[in-house]
Amino acid sequence: MAAEEGEQQLQAKKGKTKGKHDKPKPWDEDPNIDHWKIEKFEPSWNEGGMLEVSSFSTLFPQYREKYLQEAWPLVKSALKEYGVACELNLVEGSMAVSTTRKTRDPYIIIKARDLIKLLSRSVPAPQAIKILDDEVQCDIIKIGNLVRNKERFVKRRQHLVGPNSSTLKALEIVTGCYILVQGNTVAAMGSFKGLKQVRRIVEDCIQNKMHPLYHIKVLMVKKELERDPALANENWDRFLPKFKKKNVKQKKVKSKEKKPYTPFPPPQPPSKIDLQLESGEYFLSDKRKSEKQWREKQEKQAEKTAENKRKREAAFMPPEELVKKDSAQAGGDQTDVAAIAKSLKKKVKDFGKQKSIENINPQTYIASSGEQPSRKKSKRSKSEGSEKS
């Protein structure tokens, strides 16, 4: 009985504390109030100003010195509107921001700290000044220590940028953030939701978990699904593309064979003097040594000239003759040629006979039959004339 009474008292106490803090407020269910809207700060909210001076400073690389000197008046004028003082120290290579008596917004010093961080990470001054707006946030992602191998790091960082910065531009459009890849860090500016997406994409790319292009495809599908009010309360996993990671076979590193351990050190290689003592050159006079060196030099020169001459003459060498065919094959070819020549001669002879038959003129035979005796007479008369003489 006592235990039951104790439990009832505990429940009563719990009920009391819960009712005390969780009473319904009149503005909780008011449709005219946007609970997610960030209202602009008004100086009337903090007329007294800041009680203590808050300051932040950061170093910048030497190559940013010239640009910061040129852009500092723009930064100074932007911070002056919010009552924040800034200082550029070129000797130490640092930038500092601090609150003043005119500062009213207590959170503006955090925004000013982010501004000098972005300026040191090579973000242009006009873009970095946008961080002073309440709706814009920033995130500096460190990627230098995610990969040990420098070559892999450079290659994966290039995947993030893409050819002609095309991948980076696509990421900026999809996430709605400004992204700058510089050295070992990635600076991003935008809304909290966009910065969360950018950090995930960058880390997955550098750790080789997923290529940025696949992330872009997923985000594009999500944007299309957001427009459809019917799918607002449904699971989108069935619409999102699923990518399988391909395991690329890596080259196997050849392990060196371990030599058997010996406590004794390896034998010392012979010195130059030891080699001269072995060959007997050490005991020669300086004149003999110089003669020997000169002779060796002449021999090397002769070898070199002979080799150069051989190279020059190689251009004038006749090409190699074709390899002769087998004797049996060659004999067969000769018989074929002889047979072809014989048949051609026979055809020419037959063609000549046929042509001579076609060209016979009967008038020549008739004329020659009437003139034959006169020809005989002329021959006789010639013979008689020669006898008389």
Side-chain angles (χ1 to χ4, degrees):
M1 291 291 287
E4 287 178 3
E5 285 177 4
E7 284 178 6
Q8 285 175 2
Q9 285 176 0
L10 283 170
Q11 284 176 2
K13 280 183 181 179
K14 282 181 182 177
K16 280 181 184 178
T17 53
K18 188 176 180 183
K20 186 180 178 182
H21 298 288
D22 295 342
K23 286 179 182 178
K25 312 292 190 298
W27 55 82
D28 282 346
E29 296 178 1
D30 190 353
N32 298 325
I33 297 171
D34 185 6
H35 297 285
W36 293 102
K37 186 183 177 184
I38 300 169
E39 293 183 8
K40 192 177 180 182
F41 181 83
E42 292 180 10
S44 61
W45 296 354
N46 185 18
E47 291 179 355
M50 312 298 290
L51 296 173
E52 295 289 337
V53 176
S54 302
S55 63
F56 292 98
S57 65
T58 185
L59 299 172
F60 60 85
Q62 195 175 3
Y63 62 85
R64 291 288 290 168
E65 187 178 324
K66 191 177 179 182
Y67 177 77
L68 288 172
Q69 262 184 306
E70 293 171 1
W72 199 248
L74 181 67
V75 177
K76 200 170 185 179
S77 62
L79 289 171
K80 195 175 181 181
E81 292 177 12
Y82 297 93
V84 178
C86 59
E87 185 188 353
L88 177 67
N89 193 338
L90 298 174
V91 177
E92 294 179 1
S94 65
M95 293 178 283
V97 289
S98 61
T99 56
T100 60
R101 288 181 181 180
K102 293 180 181 179
T103 309
R104 294 289 177 268
D105 187 358
Y107 193 71
I108 198 67
I109 190 65
I110 306 297
K111 291 278 189 180
R113 180 200 64 183
D114 293 342
L115 170 62
I116 58 174
K117 268 189 187 178
L118 292 168
L119 287 170
S120 66
R121 292 315 309 147
S122 299
V123 177
Q127 178 65 35
I129 287 166
K130 291 178 185 177
I131 195 66
L132 298 173
D133 297 339
D134 290 335
E135 294 177 0
V136 181
Q137 312 300 327
C138 78
D139 188 12
I140 294 170
I141 306 155
K142 292 180 181 179
I143 57 173
N145 53 0
L146 294 176
V147 185
R148 288 183 181 180
N149 192 342
K150 180 131 191 207
E151 290 177 6
R152 281 184 189 172
F153 170 71
V154 172
K155 198 175 181 182
R156 289 175 190 177
R157 187 178 63 182
Q158 190 57 37
H159 288 168
L160 190 64
V161 177
N164 298 323
S165 302
S166 57
T167 310
L168 204 64
K169 286 172 187 172
L171 284 172
E172 286 181 353
I173 293 163
V174 172
T175 57
C177 295
Y178 170 82
I179 305 166
L180 179 75
V181 181
Q182 175 70 22
N184 293 333
T185 58
V186 177
M189 289 173 65
S191 62
F192 283 115
K193 187 182 176 183
L195 292 175
K196 192 177 177 183
Q197 290 171 347
V198 169
R199 179 172 275 277
R200 187 185 170 194
I201 291 164
V202 169
E203 287 179 353
D204 284 359
C205 177
I206 301 299
Q207 291 172 352
N208 203 27
K209 288 181 180 177
M210 192 186 286
H211 198 276
L213 290 175
Y214 299 143
H215 275 294
I216 290 165
K217 285 180 182 178
V218 171
L219 289 170
M220 285 171 75
V221 172
K222 281 183 179 178
K223 274 200 169 186
E224 289 294 324
L225 293 168
E226 280 173 4
R227 293 174 188 173
D228 193 354
L231 300 169
N233 298 321
E234 289 189 25
N235 191 6
W236 291 350
D237 288 344
R238 57 200 172 107
F239 301 111
L240 299 176
K242 292 176 183 177
F243 305 103
K244 290 181 180 178
K245 189 178 178 182
K246 293 178 181 177
N247 292 324
V248 182
K249 289 183 180 179
Q250 295 180 348
K251 291 180 181 177
K252 290 181 181 178
V253 181
K254 291 180 180 178
S255 59
K256 292 180 181 178
E257 293 180 1
K258 288 185 178 180
K259 293 178 181 178
Y261 174 73
T262 53
F264 304 106
Q268 192 176 359
S271 66
K272 195 175 180 181
I273 295 167
D274 293 339
L275 294 169
Q276 286 178 353
L277 285 167
E278 283 179 11
S279 62
E281 190 182 342
Y282 184 78
F283 303 103
L284 294 173
S285 62
D286 293 340
K287 191 177 180 183
R288 290 279 182 86
K289 283 179 184 178
S290 61
E291 282 177 6
K292 189 181 179 184
Q293 286 175 359
W294 182 79
R295 210 178 298 115
E296 286 175 357
K297 194 176 180 181
Q298 290 294 321
E299 285 174 4
K300 283 181 182 178
Q301 283 180 355
E303 286 176 7
K304 194 75 178 172
T305 49
E307 191 180 345
N308 291 338
K309 191 178 180 183
R310 208 180 305 115
K311 284 179 182 177
R312 285 196 298 274
E313 288 176 353
F316 303 101
M317 291 289 286
E320 293 182 1
E321 293 182 3
L322 296 169
V323 182
K324 291 183 179 180
K325 295 178 181 178
D326 297 338
S327 59
Q329 194 176 354
D333 292 347
Q334 285 177 4
T335 52
D336 291 344
V337 170
I340 291 162
K342 197 173 182 182
S343 64
L344 285 169
K345 281 180 183 178
K346 192 176 180 183
K347 284 178 182 178
V348 169
K349 199 172 182 182
D350 294 342
F351 183 72
K353 282 181 181 180
Q354 194 176 355
K355 201 170 183 184
S356 61
I357 291 163
E358 287 175 359
N359 292 336
I360 291 169
N361 193 358
Q363 290 179 1
T364 55
Y365 283 96
I366 295 163
S368 62
S369 60
E371 290 174 1
Q372 268 178 5
S374 63
R375 280 182 185 175
K376 285 179 183 177
K377 282 180 183 178
S378 61
K379 284 180 182 178
R380 281 176 187 174
S381 60
K382 281 180 183 178
S383 60
E384 283 176 0
S386 61
E387 284 176 4
K388 285 179 182 179
S389 59

